[in-house]
Amino acid sequence: MATPPVTQRLRHPDRFFIGGAWVEPSSRARIDVHDSATEEVFLSVAEAQVEDVDRAVAAARRAFDEGPWPRLTHRERAEWLGRIADVWKTKADALAETWTRESGVLHAMAKRAVLGPVQTWRFHAGLADSFAWEEPHVTADGKRAMLVREPVGVVGAIIPWNAPNALIAHKTAPALIAGCTVVLKASPEAPSAAYLMAEICEEIGLPGGVFNDVTADREVSERLVRDPGIDKISFTG
């Protein structure tokens, strides 16, 4: 059976994943994605405007302030990370194909490396039991104290074009296990992995607003790093 083109592998390239649903963009602006080998346009995705970024941040903010995610135990969140890892494996072919076409990675290498994030998800899930989330201490004057490591809030994660698969996992997994919610801003040159990650979150039924995905260029992306609803920025690029 022939492998379907990437335009058929992505379910909703014309939308954004916000608040646990695929939502229509605020404008008709699009980003054309070029094949790294042929320079032909092989995919077109929605281009986020300021209104779309604001909506994604608001969804993540509500999910953190009012939703169940930061109030789950670390072990409960670890179960969700394990589900992400399981479904990530089922999308390995699509993740490898899009990585090759967008970034120019050798396909043989991409097929091997694309499974690396599975271990990243599982490692961070394991931190539920192994990391010192709470540490008892005794102060200098003999009083008992507790150091508690709490989620910082809403994380804005910005990834580059060259290694989107690994960086999605490296930025999102530690944020989620800690109890943070995430707005992922994908590179306009390589948005497919972020779309596939959103599909994974939809498939496992991750609580709405815990993971949100938009694709934007430089000017609109600045809105994300300046938005007062964002508590932490994780940036590579």
Side-chain angles (χ1 to χ4, degrees), residues 88 91-93 95-96 99 109-118 165:
W88 185 283
K91 295 188 178 290
D93 286 346
L95 288 161
W99 190 16
M109 173 184 168
K111 288 172 65 177
R112 293 193 304 271
V114 79
L115 291 175
V118 173
N165 300 313

Side-chain angles (χ1 to χ4, degrees), residues 2-224:
T3 301
V6 69
T7 50
Q8 294 179 23
R9 288 174 176 254
L10 301 184
R11 297 172 188 165
H12 304 287
D14 59 335
R15 300 194 176 199
F16 303 119
F17 190 71
I18 297 175
W22 293 99
V23 302
E24 293 186 2
S26 63
S27 77
R28 295 184 178 181
R30 307 283 289 193
I31 293 174
D32 289 336
V33 184
H34 295 263
D35 188 301
S36 58
T38 66
E39 297 187 2
E40 295 177 350
V41 173
F42 76 98
L43 177 65
S44 181
V45 300
E47 179 178 3
Q49 306 301 304
V50 168
E51 294 85 349
D52 303 304
V53 171
D54 288 348
R55 186 163 40 159
V57 173
R61 186 79 262 164
R62 283 192 303 271
F64 184 80
D65 292 341
E66 305 169 16
W69 189 255
R71 294 154 191 88
L72 298 177
T73 66
H74 294 96
R75 186 168 293 180
E76 287 172 330
R77 289 194 291 268
E79 292 177 0
W80 286 103
L81 267 64
R83 293 170 201 162
I84 292 173
D86 290 340
V87 181
W88 185 283
K89 289 194 294 185
T90 71
K91 295 188 178 290
D93 286 346
L95 288 161
E97 178 197 348
T98 55
W99 190 16
T100 295
R101 297 194 72 175
E102 292 172 342
S103 304
V105 177
L106 290 174
H107 193 238
M109 173 184 168
K111 288 172 65 177
R112 293 193 304 271
V114 79
L115 291 175
V118 173
Q119 300 307 315
T120 302
W121 290 109
R122 297 205 185 284
F123 169 81
H124 285 89
L127 293 180
D129 295 319
S130 64
F131 187 71
W133 301 103
E134 295 184 356
E135 281 188 275
H137 289 271
V138 178
T139 64
D141 57 359
K143 294 180 180 179
R144 293 163 62 183
M146 180 72 73
L147 172 62
V148 180
R149 294 178 171 89
E150 298 178 334
V152 69
V154 178
V155 175
I158 300 174
I159 58 173
W161 60 270
N162 57 337
N165 300 313
L167 287 168
I168 286 172
H170 281 297
K171 293 182 183 297
T172 307
L176 294 187
I177 192 62
C180 298
T181 58
V182 175
V183 177
L184 178 69
K185 203 293 292 182
S187 164
E189 291 84 9
S192 296
Y195 272 96
L196 291 164
M197 174 63 188
E199 291 180 13
I200 291 170
C201 294
E202 179 186 35
E203 188 169 332
I204 67 173
L206 191 71
V210 173
F211 176 86
N212 308 272
D213 168 48
V214 295
T215 305
D217 213 335
R218 185 183 301 268
E219 183 176 347
V220 174
S221 298
E222 186 173 343
R223 175 69 174 186
L224 182 65

